Amino acid sequence: MSPVSDDYRKKGLVSAKHRIAMAKLALETSDWIRVDSWESEQETWTETVKVLRHHYNESLRSLQSRQEFMANKRPTQRPPGDSLSSQHTVLPELKLLCGADILQTFKTPNLWKEEDIKEIVEKFGLVCVSRAGSDPVQYINESDLLTKFQHNIFLVKEWIQNEISATQIRRALCRGLSVKYLVPDSVISYITHHNIYTEESERRNEGDLLQPLKLRNPTVNPLND
C-alpha cells in the first residue's frame, strides 16, 4: 500500500502522516500486506508509473543483494542443493492493484498521460478488483490501448460484494455516526484521538484541482471525488 503525497490536492485529503499511521494500524495483523511511505514522503505529487518504477527497482536491488549474499557464503554454509549453478534468476513481477473503477479514470482528460497508461499496462500490468457500478470489461473494450494489452489486465471478481467506500466512512465520521465494524478498532481510536475527519478536514483543498489536472490543464474544473 502506497499512500499518495499531500500534494495530490484531493478534496478532504488528510495529512500523509495520519494516513500512513492508520494504514499501519489496519495492517498490524496482516502477514502479506505492508505499507510503504516513500510516495507519501515526496514533496510533490509523483505519477503512478514513477512509483511503480521505484518499487520495481527496489525489488531488483533486494534480489541482487540476496544473490550477492549467497555468492559470498562459504560452501559449507549453503543449504543442500542451493549451489549457485542450480539457482535460476527470476525477475520480480510488480503489478498495480486497484479498483476496477480506475480503468474508467483512464478516459478522464489530462488526468493520465497516454504514455504512462501504456507503460503501466504493458510493462507492469493491472490487477483490478470488481467494484459496484463499474464495468471493467466495457472500459477495456472502449479503449484500443487497454484492449491491446488486456492479457496483462487481471480482473478479480469479489465473491462477496463490499460496497464500503472511504467517502462513506469519512461522511459518517463527520456526522458523528459510528463506524465500528467498518474499520479496525485501533484505527477508530486513532481517528478519535487525533480528531482527524471533521467538516473542516473535508473542506481541505476544496475548489482546488487535482495536481495532475493542474499540471496538464489549469483550466479544467475541480475533480473533488
Side-chain angles (χ1 to χ4, degrees):
M1 294 184 64
S2 180
V4 73
S5 162
D6 290 345
D7 192 50
Y8 187 54
R9 313 297 297 175
K10 183 176 181 180
K11 181 177 178 292
L13 189 67
V14 301
S15 171
K17 71 176 183 180
H18 291 313
R19 290 182 281 116
I20 289 290
M22 288 186 289
K24 287 183 176 180
L25 286 171
L27 297 174
E28 280 181 325
T29 59
S30 176
D31 59 359
W32 66 283
I33 306 176
R34 69 179 180 85
V35 183
D36 191 285
S37 61
W38 179 84
E39 181 181 359
S40 68
E41 292 169 350
Q42 305 309 300
E43 293 185 2
T44 58
W45 166 74
T46 307
E47 291 96 329
T48 300
V49 71
K50 292 181 179 178
V51 177
L52 290 170
R53 290 174 194 160
H54 165 77
H55 288 296
Y56 185 77
N57 289 333
E58 287 296 303
S59 297
L60 286 179
R61 275 192 283 270
S62 177
L63 176 64
Q64 183 179 14
S65 296
R66 181 179 180 279
Q67 290 175 333
E68 291 175 352
F69 172 75
M70 295 302 297
N72 291 329
K73 290 181 69 173
R74 294 196 302 271
T76 55
Q77 292 179 299
R78 294 181 192 144
D82 195 28
S83 65
L84 293 178
S85 60
S86 66
Q87 293 180 357
H88 300 284
T89 300
V90 179
L91 294 178
E93 277 193 66
L94 180 67
K95 299 188 184 300
L96 176 62
L97 174 66
C98 60
D101 53 316
I102 290 296
L103 295 180
Q104 188 177 25
T105 70
F106 285 165
K107 299 192 301 182
T108 303
N110 301 302
L111 186 60
W112 296 85
K113 294 178 183 177
E114 186 78 4
E115 59 267 30
D116 285 2
I117 298 175
K118 183 177 185 295
E119 182 173 345
I120 290 173
V121 294
E122 179 182 17
K123 294 186 177 180
F124 296 104
L126 294 172
V127 177
C128 300
V129 181
S130 61
R131 190 167 185 179
S134 296
D135 187 348
V137 175
Q138 177 183 339
Y139 304 151
I140 293 172
N141 290 337
E142 291 175 348
S143 168
D144 292 338
L145 181 58
L146 295 183
T147 298
K148 181 178 179 181
F149 297 106
Q150 61 182 320
H151 63 278
N152 212 15
I153 301 175
F154 301 89
L155 304 180
V156 180
K157 180 70 174 179
E158 288 277 33
W159 67 282
I160 295 180
Q161 292 295 317
N162 184 348
E163 298 184 21
I164 297 173
S165 72
T167 301
Q168 293 171 333
I169 298 293
R170 295 197 311 270
R171 184 177 296 131
L173 289 166
C174 287
R175 294 174 179 175
L177 302 176
S178 173
V179 294
K180 191 173 179 63
Y181 308 119
L182 299 180
V183 294
D185 288 346
S186 58
V187 176
I188 295 176
S189 296
Y190 185 94
I191 291 171
T192 302
H193 178 74
H194 294 278
N195 192 30
I196 297 176
Y197 293 114
T198 62
E199 291 184 8
E200 181 181 357
S201 73
E202 282 299 284
R203 290 194 297 270
R204 186 178 183 184
N205 301 323
E206 189 172 30
D208 205 349
L209 289 174
L210 293 181
Q211 192 63 5
L213 297 177
K214 183 184 295 184
L215 292 174
R216 293 163 195 155
N217 190 346
T219 62
V220 177
N221 292 326
L223 179 64
N224 287 327
D225 202 0

